[in-house]
Amino acid sequence: MQSATSNSLAVNIGPSGRAIAQPIDVDLLQALYQHTSLERVSSAQYLAMSLWFLERELRGFASFFKNESLSEQEHGFIFAKYMIARGQTVELDEVSKPIQEWETVQELVSLSFQMEADVTTSVQQLYSLAERSNDTRTTVFLDPVIDEQIKAEDEMAYLLGKVKFANNDPSALFIIDNELNKN
Ligand SMILES: [Fe+2]
């Protein structure tokens, strides 16, 4: 850390040229990049799911998954913004092609639940890396993210439970679709 002199105040500068109060640990930074990618991949996957439902006249499901897609996109943005606030530059990865074929609604919603659980695991890893490098700024940043992930898992588990209960019966799926349309 550079110190202040009589005629200039020297501060640490990050790769983007921004003043930084505390450098980010290399492994943590790498993990933050990977997590940003995961959010963007999830967003693309949810978009594909929304379109799958739209093709099958299930507009309630389609709008639910569209909203999921938009919120994952926003999460990716929030992570990128955080890295910039910490003086880093953000290089974006390619977003892999999403899965677009499912046999049943249940298969699709099961994948969604697994995706949410994977995102939570990734956030937990970020949290322990932040703790290991005494990066309180990052743990504070992650606290509401973890809170939101727990809610997302709960919401997806609830939807999966209902879809399982419907047991591929079209009339039961239409009822769920109608409920989702009202949200
Ligand atoms: Fe997310």
Side-chain angles (χ1 to χ4, degrees), residues 160-173:
L160 181 57
K162 286 204 288 189
V163 165
K164 269 187 181 167
F165 193 75
N167 198 20
N168 284 321
D169 171 38
S171 50
L173 289 172

Side-chain angles (χ1 to χ4, degrees), residues 39 71-72 75 116 119 149:
E39 297 282 4
S71 83
E72 301 307 351
H75 296 163
E116 289 300 338
V119 170
Q149 270 315 117

Side-chain angles (χ1 to χ4, degrees), residues 81-101:
K81 205 172 140 202
Y82 176 68
M83 287 187 274
I84 290 167
R86 293 289 303 269
Q88 304 300 318
T89 51
V90 178
E91 198 180 323
L92 298 173
D93 284 337
E94 247 175 69
V95 174
S96 52
K97 188 187 181 318
I99 299 167
Q100 292 195 279
E101 280 170 34

Side-chain angles (χ1 to χ4, degrees), residues 35 38-39 42 46 68 71-76 79 116 119 123 145 148-149 152:
H35 186 83
L38 186 59
E39 297 282 4
S42 302
Y46 280 138
E68 291 297 311
S71 83
E72 301 307 351
Q73 195 179 36
E74 181 65 18
H75 296 163
F79 272 85
E116 289 300 338
V119 170
V123 180
V145 179
E148 216 178 303
Q149 270 315 117

